[in-house]
């Protein structure tokens, strides 16, 4: 039984402890979304898992969709940190693109449960599904913005590479989508078929990156 089911009951945390309760709620929601599916999970079940009343839970999240959006942003936050490091430490345009692909795959394999929840289910809230990775990124605090921020960072890396003299075979946003499709395919296969006798997991990622680089950069 989850430790959350035995958590002390209560409503609002003491001053300064609200962040802890919020994280408990998100963890419980993530567990239940994975165990029972997004549609089947109710606010009451999440509240029971945390050990609070439903009205107390509403102090932190108005509905289930806002929990899902927060989980999306929390998950993408890990990848955004890796991208920031690449941007600050890698100057070669080709290497930046390649390192982005490596970071994406590493991110997915390091967080398989979160990856399943966000990319391999039907749990994406309507507010994100309609705009997807093309959601405006002018307000970084907007719930569900994490995925669009990651995508725009990749588009920027590709556009900067083109400005430096590299020739892209397609527009930067199309190249970014192709990069994602390729690395998402590898990540999904390795996560969903973790026990499959793959030839070499590391080489599969490297090989796909080789294919991507040759496909999007003219003469690469």
């Amino acid at each position: 039984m989850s430790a959350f089911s035995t958590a002390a009951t209560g409503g609002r945390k003491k001053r300064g402890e609200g962040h802890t309760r919020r994280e408990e709620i998100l963890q419980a929601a993530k567990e239940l979304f994975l165990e029972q599916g997004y549609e089947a999970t109710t606010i009451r079940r999440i509240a029971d898992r945390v050990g609070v009343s439903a009205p107390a839970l509403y102090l932190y999240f108005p509905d289930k969709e806002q929990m899902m959006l927060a989980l999306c942003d929390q998950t993408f936050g890990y990848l955004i940190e890796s991208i920031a490091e690449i941007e600050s430490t890698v100057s070669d345009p080709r290497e930046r693109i390649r390192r982005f692909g490596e970071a994406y795959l590493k991110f997915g394999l390091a967080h398989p449960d979160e990856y399943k929840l966000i990319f391999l289910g039907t749990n994406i809230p309507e507010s994100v599904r309609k705009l997807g990775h093309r959601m405006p990124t002018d307000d970084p605090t907007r719930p569900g913005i994490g995925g669009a921020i990651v995508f725009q960072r990749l588009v920027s890396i590709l556009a900067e590479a083109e400005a430096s003299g590299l020739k892209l075979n397609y527009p930067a946003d199309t190249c970014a989508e192709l990069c994602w499709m390729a690395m998402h395919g590898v990540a999904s296969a390795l996560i969903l078929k973790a026990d499959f006798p793959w030839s070499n997991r590391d080489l599969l990622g490297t090989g796909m990156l080789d294919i991507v680089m040759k496909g999007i950069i003219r003469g690469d």
Side-chain angles (χ1 to χ4, degrees), residues 16 21 33 55 62 67 71 75 97 112 133 163-164 166 171 187 215-216 218-219:
R21 175 69 81 216
F33 291 162
M67 294 181 205
L71 285 170
T75 299
I97 299 169
H133 58 290
S164 74
L166 289 183
I216 66 174
R218 196 171 304 166

Side-chain angles (χ1 to χ4, degrees), residues 137-173:
T137 57
D138 54 315
D139 179 7
T141 66
R142 178 178 179 177
I145 197 68
I149 290 175
V150 168
F151 181 76
Q152 287 304 319
R153 297 279 274 274
L154 177 55
V155 172
S156 294
I157 287 175
L158 287 160
E160 290 167 6
E162 190 167 37
S164 74
L166 289 183
K167 301 296 184 183
L168 300 181
N169 286 324
Y170 313 99
D173 58 345

Side-chain angles (χ1 to χ4, degrees), residues 29-51:
K30 180 172 68 175
E31 290 175 357
L32 288 166
F33 291 162
L34 287 166
E35 293 168 12
Q36 303 177 5
Y38 179 77
E39 294 300 330
T41 299
T42 64
I43 292 292
R44 182 172 295 279
R45 286 180 180 176
I46 296 171
D48 287 345
R49 177 69 63 97
V50 179

Side-chain angles (χ1 to χ4, degrees), residues 77-97:
Y78 305 132
L79 183 54
I80 290 171
E81 289 179 4
S82 297
I83 296 169
E85 182 179 356
I86 293 169
E87 291 172 333
S88 64
T89 60
V90 180
S91 58
D92 180 75
R94 275 190 176 84
E95 185 63 16
R96 271 192 169 193
I97 299 169

